[in-house]
């Protein structure tokens, strides 16, 4: 059941909070796979120019390698969340390892920034039973996404990232992007960086604020696959698509 939440339609209908559906007048902007000294600083500068704060799902081993960059993310007002210790594949589940590595990532984020993370997103978005149990045991809230940019591919462009996000973007949604090419095609982060201004402008034109998951008003009730939640009404005006993309 936890792994089945990888299916976008299934989780959006059955587990909207796990999908990242929050305030109808807000879009949560999230980045995975950093911190990366070659690319993350460019995203931080771009977000400063756009006056936007985002949630960064970081890898513990990268945090240890880049403590100053990790602190810079937090000091610029962004939110740090856990993406795991490494970008490991879930094909051979290991619940004990999942718990140890997730706990280690939580600890280093806290030690380096002084703040404990709230959110957890597993690599590849596959929430195995072991990963879900580890997150819950550590007091983390699993959150996936409602829209992504397919920005990890070698042929991604700023235009393709914007169009792909726009196809599923709604008020109340959570956007998944990447601030690193660590687990994807070399240099693909440049397409994401180029898409950011247009993406933020389209959200604002639609009347949606753009910010962190902490600002997204995700209810803690029904945080995982053990609870079925009521999806938003289909006619909710806050969930109209962003045609400006």
């Amino acid at each position: 059941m936890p792994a089945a939440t990888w299916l976008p339609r299934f989780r959006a209908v059955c587990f909207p909070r796990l999908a990242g559906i929050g305030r109808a007048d807000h879009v949560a902007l999230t980045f995975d796979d950093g911190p990366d000294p070659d690319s993350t600083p460019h995203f931080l500068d771009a977000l400063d120019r756009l006056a936007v704060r985002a949630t960064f799902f970081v890898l513990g081993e990268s945090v240890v390698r880049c403590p100053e960059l990790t602190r810079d993310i937090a000091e610029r007002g962004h939110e740090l969340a856990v993406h795991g210790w490494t970008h490991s594949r879930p094909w051979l589940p290991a619940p004990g390892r999942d718990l140890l590595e997730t706990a280690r990532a939580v600890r280093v984020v806290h030690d380096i920034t002084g703040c404990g993370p709230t959110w957890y997103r597993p690599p590849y978005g596959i929430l195995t039973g072991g990963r879900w149990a580890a997150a819950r045991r550590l007091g983390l809230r699993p959150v996936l996404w409602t829209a992504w940019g397919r920005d990890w591919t070698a042929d991604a462009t700023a235009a393709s990232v914007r169009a792909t996000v726009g196809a599923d973007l709604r008020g109340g949604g959570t956007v998944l992007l990447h601030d690193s090419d660590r687990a994807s095609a070399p240099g693909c982060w440049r397409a994401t960086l180029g898409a950011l201004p247009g993406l933020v402008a389209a959200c604002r034109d639609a009347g949606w604020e753009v910010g962190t998951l902490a600002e997204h008003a995700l209810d803690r009730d029904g945080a995982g696959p053990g609870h079925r939640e009521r999806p938003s009404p289909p006619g909710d005006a806050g969930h109209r698509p962003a045609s400006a993309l």
Side-chain angles (χ1 to χ4, degrees), residues 43 151 153 155-162 187-196:
F43 284 87
D151 55 345
T153 62
D155 58 351
T157 65
S160 75
V161 171
R162 285 177 55 190
C188 60
W189 60 268
R190 298 181 186 279
T192 310
L193 187 67
L196 268 184

Side-chain angles (χ1 to χ4, degrees), residues 24 26-27 146-147 165-174 208 238-242:
H26 186 268
V27 169
T146 61
V165 171
D168 293 312
L169 185 61
R170 305 290 188 274
T174 293
W208 308 326
H239 293 268
R240 63 188 185 280

Side-chain angles (χ1 to χ4, degrees), residues 57-242:
F57 285 86
V58 296
L59 297 169
E61 65 173 6
S62 298
V63 169
V64 171
R65 284 200 300 266
C66 306
E68 292 298 330
L69 178 55
T70 302
R71 275 191 286 269
D72 191 29
I73 295 173
E75 288 171 358
R76 295 207 200 190
H78 303 289
E79 184 178 34
L80 287 165
V82 171
H83 196 38
W85 185 257
T86 64
H87 206 279
S88 59
R89 298 179 181 274
W91 318 141
L92 296 174
R97 182 195 63 200
D98 290 335
L99 177 58
L100 289 174
E101 293 190 350
T102 306
R104 191 179 178 192
V106 169
R107 185 167 59 252
V108 297
V109 169
H110 180 272
D111 289 348
I112 288 173
T113 68
C115 296
T118 298
W119 314 102
Y120 171 71
R121 176 181 291 153
Y124 302 100
I126 298 177
L127 189 63
T128 63
R131 289 175 170 180
W132 180 79
R136 297 288 287 183
R137 181 168 176 178
L138 295 167
L140 298 174
R141 169 74 182 273
V143 175
L144 299 180
W145 61 86
T146 61
W148 63 6
R150 295 191 64 85
D151 55 345
W152 60 87
T153 62
D155 58 351
T157 65
S160 75
V161 171
R162 285 177 55 190
T164 305
V165 171
D168 293 312
L169 185 61
R170 305 290 188 274
T174 293
V175 175
L176 163 64
L177 297 172
H178 296 81
D179 63 306
S180 171
D181 58 8
R182 180 188 177 103
S184 51
C188 60
W189 60 268
R190 298 181 186 279
T192 310
L193 187 67
L196 268 184
L199 172 60
V200 171
C203 289
R204 288 172 170 165
D205 287 347
W208 308 326
E209 298 176 18
V210 181
T212 66
L213 282 168
E215 301 165 328
H216 204 43
L218 288 175
D219 185 357
R220 282 192 169 273
D221 293 336
H227 178 85
R228 182 182 178 92
E229 298 174 279
R230 181 181 302 169
S232 301
D236 186 346
H239 293 268
R240 63 188 185 280

